[in-house]
Amino acid sequence: MTDITIPEKVPNFDEGEWKGSLNQLLFANVGKYARAEYESGVTQQGVIYAVGTDYLLLWDESRKAYSTGNTGNLRSLTIFPAKVNG
């Protein structure tokens, strides 16, 4: 993975209002392969690279590119224990 600048100071997702949130779940699984489907019908997949207060950043090794989406528009998320094809 190539470095990318994350401008936001990420909160501690294990405390306060974030406990039990989708963001806490995502942050706990940074480094795992995931497939995210958004309300717009867009599907993105890759390794969970970063999580912010309202975004998910995935690294797609096959494309050598990052993709991001708004966690508020996330319709479905599949997290895999290891990378799978498809």
Side-chain angles (χ1 to χ4, degrees):
M1 283 183 247
T2 306
D3 288 334
I4 186 171
T5 302
I6 309 292
E8 173 186 13
K9 182 180 178 191
V10 178
N12 182 347
F13 291 119
D14 291 328
E15 293 181 351
E17 66 190 60
W18 298 107
K19 283 193 95 157
S21 69
L22 175 63
N23 295 68
Q24 184 187 31
L25 172 72
L26 292 169
F27 191 75
N29 286 285
V30 167
K32 291 189 180 165
Y33 193 80
R35 181 173 40 239
E37 296 177 32
Y38 294 91
E39 291 175 359
S40 64
V42 171
T43 299
Q44 299 172 333
Q45 55 189 26
V47 174
I48 301 174
Y49 186 81
V51 180
T53 56
D54 63 355
Y55 69 86
L56 168 64
L57 184 65
L58 300 175
W59 168 252
D60 184 342
E61 180 66 31
S62 65
R63 292 182 22 222
K64 304 283 190 237
Y66 294 95
S67 59
T68 189
N70 185 315
T71 53
N73 295 327
L74 194 59
R75 180 176 53 184
S76 173
L77 178 73
T78 305
I79 301 173
F80 300 92
K83 184 175 178 181
V84 297
N85 293 328

